[in-house]
């Protein structure tokens, strides 16, 4: 029998999320290369990542979903994450998912993911069934929009009980199988202040499904807020991550007292982007870095266009500081 190489073993193992694709490579970061130029070019075709927007960043302006799309394009983003609830409101007012899909397609905007909420992981069987039903509806809507992913946070449980990790994995597999039917896959989302706040638990649930498309939705702030080490990301095959939420956080208040509204523009806080982004790149990430903020101060002191332009420009600056 032919002896498989390590790379072939990883490819055939079915455990994509634990591929550990760094092979001992240590990336380096610098704001400039030897010529004095930024090491990543400013044109979107030159970057290995899409720069996208989670519409939560402008949620405080209560804009209709069509305007969210148009302003995102105007600001220069490559992709967008829309909220299912915003699209449902648009449909109630006479719009169609197909019209929104065409609006994004004609502008060259990728629908990275849809923000959805349901109780698919609940310990209560009736709530869990309702959560699965709601998840299917969100997936079907996403498919009509031309999207391939929806967020799947662990709503419906107060705390992760580690002895029940296999049960959580089976519940996640059930909605992954709905994803097989609809063509839209759920992404298990880690929340730093929620029940599922540890990368190790998130990975255990994902791996435990045994499903080839199982993956997770991570976020710089949420990883920090949950007390996770960014070095733990070295254990992942980041090529399996379609989108990664990008944001920053201040040194104060202390980590355990931070909340979602404390997230700030990338580069304005203490997040070690120049270490983590090259790490993700070397382990295969080529998806969308999607800006996700809920900053009331920004909403109070800026207009939507300014928030979007600043979000885009600061994210570009952070990424372009890294030598990949």
């Amino acid at each position: 029998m032919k002896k498989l190489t390590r790379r072939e073993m990883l490819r055939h193992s079915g455990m994509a999320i634990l591929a550990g694709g760094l092979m001992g490579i240590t990336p380096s970061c610098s704001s400039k290369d030897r010529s004095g130029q930024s090491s990543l070019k400013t044109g979107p075709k030159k970057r290995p990542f899409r720069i996208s927007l989670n519409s939560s960043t402008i949620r405080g302006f209560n804009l209709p979903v069509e305007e969210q799309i148009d302003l995102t394009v105007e600001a220069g983003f490559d992709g967008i994450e829309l909220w299912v609830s915003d699209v449902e409101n648009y449909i109630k007012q006479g719009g169609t998912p197909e019209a929104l899909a065409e609006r994004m397609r004609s502008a060259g905007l990728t629908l990275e993911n849809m923000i959805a909420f349901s109780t698919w992981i609940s310990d209560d069987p009736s709530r869990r069934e309702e959560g699965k039903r709601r998840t299917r509806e969100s997936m079907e809507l996403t498919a009509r929009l031309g999207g391939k992913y929806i967020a799947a946070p662990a709503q419906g449980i107060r705390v992760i009980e580690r002895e029940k990790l296999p049960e959580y994995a089976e519940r996640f597999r059930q909605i992954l199988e709905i994803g097989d039917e609809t063509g839209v896959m759920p992404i298990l989302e880690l929340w730093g202040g929620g029940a599922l706040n540890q990368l190790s638990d998130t990975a255990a649930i994902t791996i435990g499904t045994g499903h080839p498309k199982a993956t997770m939705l991570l976020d710089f702030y949420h990883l920090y807020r949950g007390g996770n080490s960014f070095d733990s990301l070295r254990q992942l095959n980041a090529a399996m991550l379609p989108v990664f939420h990008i944001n920053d956080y201040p040194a104060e208040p202390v980590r355990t007292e931070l909340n979602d509204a404390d997230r700030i523009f990338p580069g304005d806080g203490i997040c070690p982007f120049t270490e983590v982004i090259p790490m993700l790149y070397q382990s295969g990430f080529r998806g969308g870095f999607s800006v996700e903020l809920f900053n009331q101060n920004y909403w109070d002191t800026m207009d939507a266009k300014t928030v979007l332009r600043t979000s885009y420009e600061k994210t570009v600056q952070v990424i372009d500081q890294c030598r990949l």
Side-chain angles (χ1 to χ4, degrees):
M1 180 180 293
K2 178 183 175 183
K3 184 177 181 180
L4 296 178
T5 66
R6 182 172 181 267
R7 187 179 299 277
E8 289 170 330
M9 290 172 66
L10 289 173
R11 187 169 64 247
H12 293 295
S13 70
M15 302 282 284
I17 200 68
L18 269 185
L22 288 183
M23 301 293 194
I25 298 173
T26 302
S28 62
C29 264
S30 173
S31 61
K32 295 184 181 297
D33 62 19
R34 293 179 181 177
S35 68
Q37 299 297 315
S38 174
S39 57
L40 287 179
K41 306 303 182 183
T42 55
K45 292 184 180 179
K46 299 295 184 180
R47 291 192 186 92
F49 320 114
R50 294 181 300 279
I51 299 177
S52 301
L53 178 84
N54 184 316
S55 58
S56 66
T57 301
I58 52 172
R59 194 159 183 79
F61 298 105
N62 297 312
L63 301 174
V65 69
E66 315 97 286
E67 191 172 352
Q68 294 175 24
I69 292 169
D70 293 346
L71 290 177
T72 299
V73 173
E74 182 181 333
F77 288 97
D78 305 310
I80 192 169
E81 293 179 279
L82 296 174
W83 285 49
V84 167
S85 58
D86 288 342
V87 175
E88 288 175 335
N89 288 335
Y90 165 80
I91 293 171
K92 288 176 183 176
Q93 295 170 15
T96 68
E98 290 73 19
L100 284 184
E102 178 55 33
R103 198 181 199 100
M104 290 183 282
R105 184 166 48 249
S106 62
L109 194 66
T110 298
L111 180 58
E112 295 284 3
N113 177 43
M114 291 288 286
I115 306 305
F117 305 95
S118 77
T119 55
W120 61 270
I121 199 172
S122 174
D123 290 325
D124 179 82
S126 61
R127 292 191 71 204
R128 191 162 63 246
E129 286 304 309
E130 171 59 23
K132 288 163 61 178
R133 183 195 65 77
R134 179 62 177 153
T135 296
R136 180 183 290 276
E137 289 179 351
S138 298
M139 288 176 175
E140 290 171 347
L141 176 60
T142 301
R144 292 178 66 187
L145 291 165
K148 297 180 180 179
Y149 301 100
I150 66 164
Q155 286 196 307
I157 54 175
R158 288 191 311 105
V159 64
I160 289 290
E161 300 176 47
R162 290 196 169 90
E163 67 274 14
K164 294 173 67 173
L165 284 172
E167 292 181 50
Y168 302 144
E170 174 56 29
R171 294 169 194 177
F172 187 37
R173 183 178 178 90
Q174 289 174 11
I175 62 170
L176 285 163
E177 289 173 348
I178 298 174
D180 289 331
E181 298 172 14
T182 62
V184 174
M185 303 309 297
I187 319 175
L188 185 62
E189 187 170 11
L190 180 152
W191 282 356
L196 186 59
N197 55 43
Q198 295 300 297
L199 181 59
S200 56
D201 293 336
T202 311
I205 293 170
T206 306
I207 294 167
T209 66
H211 193 287
K213 295 183 179 179
T215 188
M216 58 188 83
L217 177 54
L218 303 178
D219 177 302
F220 287 96
Y221 159 80
H222 281 305
L223 286 166
Y224 174 76
R225 176 63 176 81
N228 299 278
S229 168
F230 285 117
D231 279 330
S232 297
L233 294 170
R234 298 178 186 277
Q235 306 303 313
L236 305 182
N237 173 10
M240 291 292 293
L241 307 177
V243 62
F244 201 112
H245 287 163
I246 188 167
N247 38 51
D248 211 334
Y249 42 84
E252 296 180 352
V254 297
R255 174 184 64 80
T256 54
E257 294 178 5
L258 289 170
N259 58 56
D260 285 355
D262 292 317
R263 283 178 278 191
I264 53 181
F265 293 124
D268 283 1
I270 62 171
C271 185
F273 293 113
T274 54
E275 299 173 20
V276 183
I277 289 176
M279 184 193 307
L280 289 168
Y281 175 79
Q282 293 291 351
S283 56
F285 182 69
R286 299 296 186 274
F289 278 121
S290 184
V291 182
E292 183 185 44
L293 306 173
F294 279 94
N295 194 304
Q296 183 68 48
N297 181 57
Y298 294 163
W299 299 338
D300 291 341
T301 60
M302 306 178 195
D303 59 26
K305 287 187 177 183
T306 302
V307 172
L308 289 172
R309 184 178 67 251
T310 307
S311 295
Y312 179 78
E313 291 175 352
K314 285 184 175 287
T315 302
V316 167
Q317 185 176 13
V318 160
I319 292 174
D320 285 359
Q321 286 176 346
C322 295
R323 182 179 298 158
L324 305 180

